[in-house]
Amino acid sequence: MKTFLLQFFTWWNSQTLGTRFHTWRFGKRVGEDEAGNVYYEGGVDSEGRTRRWVIYRDYSEASKIPPGWHGWIHHRVDTAPASENYKPREWQKPHQANPTGTPSAYRPKGSILTNQHRPQVTGDYDAWTPGS
C-alpha cells in the first residue's frame, strides 16, 4: 500500500502510476545495471526512434545512470550494454552518482557547512579601482 501511495502522490520515487501502466502496456525489458535501475524500450517517439526509459531503484536522479547505459538511453549506441557484455576501459573510474546536496558533497575550507576556517588572505592581491 505504501508503494502505491508513493507512486500516486510523488514523481521522484522510482516511477509514477502512469509510467507503471505505460511500461506494462508497451515496455520491453532490456536490462538492469549494477545499481538496480531497470531499462525499457517500446513504442516510437516523435522523431521515429524507439522510446527508451529507465525506472530507478530508489529516487529518480539522472546521474545514477552509468556511462554504458547513458549512451544507450540517449541513442548514442544501438546495442544495450546488457546484450553486448559492456566492459569499461581499465582507465575509467567506477561510476558515482552526483553527490550535490548530500553529506558527501564537496565542501571547501571556509564553507558554512564545515567547521574549517578559510585561509587567511596574504595581502598580495590589489583590487582594481577605476583610473589606476
Side-chain angles (χ1 to χ4, degrees):
M1 187 66 175
K2 178 183 173 187
T3 304
F4 172 77
L5 290 174
L6 284 174
Q7 289 179 2
F8 190 77
F9 289 110
T10 64
W11 57 265
W12 56 87
N13 285 306
S14 184
Q15 62 181 332
T16 62
L17 286 177
T19 304
R20 179 183 284 261
F21 180 72
H22 181 78
T23 302
W24 170 75
R25 187 132 187 254
F26 302 108
K28 180 185 125 203
R29 184 183 170 123
V30 176
E32 184 174 336
D33 65 16
E34 60 273 1
N37 302 325
V38 183
Y39 298 86
Y40 294 90
E41 68 179 353
V44 178
D45 66 7
S46 61
E47 296 177 3
R49 300 178 303 189
T50 304
R51 284 185 182 264
R52 297 174 178 174
W53 67 95
V54 59
I55 296 181
Y56 298 97
R57 184 175 60 90
D58 295 325
Y59 290 113
S60 298
E61 169 60 42
S63 70
K64 291 182 179 181
I65 298 176
W69 284 103
H70 183 271
W72 177 80
I73 205 158
H74 290 284
H75 297 276
R76 303 284 189 267
V77 295
D78 293 330
T79 309
S83 59
E84 70 173 6
N85 294 329
Y86 172 81
K87 299 278 190 266
R89 308 264 183 174
E90 64 274 359
W91 47 265
Q92 286 179 305
K93 292 182 178 181
H95 176 69
Q96 293 179 338
N98 185 354
T100 301
T102 66
S104 60
Y106 172 70
R107 293 184 173 90
K109 291 180 181 177
S111 169
I112 62 172
L113 298 174
T114 64
N115 57 2
Q116 300 172 340
H117 295 288
R118 197 177 116 213
Q120 292 294 325
V121 178
T122 61
D124 61 349
Y125 173 76
D126 294 325
W128 177 81
T129 56
S132 62

